[in-house]
């Protein structure tokens, strides 16, 4: 198979592609009185990871919405390993793990960076193909599942309605199949 779905097929390709990065520093309002990040904030950080990954690819959610294309979350998995704390420097690693013309799945690995870390790791930078080489202390891992829909919330095929974005996602997906 050449990686593209044939007409009418709903083939979901799976891969462990390259990680993209987004940085943040834990803000006071994200933590409780003990300085520990409230658990639901990690879900916002997942979205930051997705948004920055798409932006690094040359697209934005605004551009997708202008094409009458939405990408709601249909599933979520999260595992808490250690808490993030107020003022920690965090890197959100994000990658595509599966996609088709109808669906897109992401994986996340949120890590605390040590004070002496390499500050040259930029927001949106594409890095590392393998989990074991990711820097920092693992805090949270997770995944989200999405489906492409139009503004009427009807499922649509990305390869039919926004083939340019589909091709860019396909290229990112194939970059992890080394």
């Amino acid at each position: 198979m050449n990686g593209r779905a044939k007409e009418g097929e709903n083939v979901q390709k799976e891969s462990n592609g390259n990680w993209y990065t987004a940085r943040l520093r834990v803000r006071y309002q994200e933590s409780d009185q003990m300085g520990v990040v409230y658990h639901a904030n990690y879900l916002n950080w997942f979205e930051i990871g997705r948004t920055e990954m798409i932006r690094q690819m040359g697209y934005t959610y605004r551009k997708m919405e202008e094409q009458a294309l939405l990408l709601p979350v249909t599933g979520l998995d999260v595992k808490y390993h250690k808490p993030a704390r107020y003022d920690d420097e965090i890197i959100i690693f994000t990658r595509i793990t599966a996609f088709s013309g109808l669906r897109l799945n992401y994986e996340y690995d949120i890590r605390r960076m040590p004070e002496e870390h390499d500050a040259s790791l930029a927001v949106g930078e594409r890095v590392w193909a393998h989990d074991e080489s990711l820097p920092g202390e693992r805090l949270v891992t997770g995944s989200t599942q999405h489906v492409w829909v139009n503004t009427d919330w009807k499922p649509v095929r990305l390869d039919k309605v926004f083939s340019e974005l589909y091709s860019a996602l396909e290229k990112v997906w194939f970059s992890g199949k080394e």
Side-chain angles (χ1 to χ4, degrees):
M1 177 176 220
N2 68 3
R4 286 199 182 263
K6 296 193 186 332
E7 187 71 32
E9 287 184 2
N10 184 17
V11 176
Q12 187 159 331
K13 305 166 196 79
E14 294 187 19
S15 172
N16 287 326
N18 292 325
W19 293 100
Y20 286 72
T21 63
R23 287 178 174 259
L24 63 88
R25 185 167 297 278
V26 177
R27 296 165 295 216
Y28 186 76
Q29 73 267 19
E30 293 172 315
S31 60
D32 60 21
Q33 191 172 10
M34 297 178 295
V36 173
V37 170
Y38 176 66
H39 70 277
N41 284 309
Y42 295 101
L43 307 183
N44 290 327
W45 295 355
F46 286 1
E47 179 146 3
I48 289 169
R50 290 193 297 275
T51 301
E52 291 305 318
M53 180 180 183
I54 292 289
R55 186 180 312 282
Q56 180 65 21
M57 293 169 50
Y59 297 90
T60 63
Y61 276 98
R62 180 179 307 217
K63 188 173 181 179
M64 289 190 289
E65 290 170 359
E66 288 169 356
Q67 299 286 326
L69 190 61
L70 306 171
L71 187 62
V73 174
T74 59
L76 166 72
D77 297 299
V78 63
K79 180 168 181 168
Y80 301 97
H81 301 271
K82 294 182 179 179
R85 299 185 181 280
Y86 168 65
D87 209 35
D88 282 347
E89 187 171 353
I90 303 298
I91 294 190
I92 306 160
F93 292 93
T94 306
R95 68 181 171 186
I96 295 171
T97 57
F99 90 100
S100 70
L102 293 170
R103 301 186 188 283
L104 181 61
N105 296 350
Y106 291 96
E107 180 180 11
Y108 312 91
D109 195 329
I110 297 176
R111 293 180 176 239
R112 177 180 13 252
M113 300 311 295
E115 290 188 26
E116 68 282 350
H117 77 280
D118 179 5
S120 67
L121 187 61
V123 170
E125 184 174 347
R126 186 171 67 169
V127 295
W128 302 280
H130 305 289
D131 299 353
E132 58 274 0
S133 64
L134 294 177
E137 179 182 18
R138 177 176 277 162
L139 303 177
V140 173
T141 54
S143 63
T144 54
Q145 299 80 49
H146 306 260
V147 64
W148 298 104
V149 298
N150 62 23
T151 54
D152 293 327
W153 287 82
K154 303 268 191 240
V156 296
R157 292 192 55 92
L158 182 63
D159 51 337
K160 304 291 184 210
V161 298
F162 199 177
S163 61
E164 179 184 327
L165 178 57
Y166 180 86
S167 295
L169 289 167
E170 186 175 53
K171 182 177 179 183
V172 167
W173 181 80
F174 275 123
S175 71
K177 297 199 59 115
E178 300 163 350

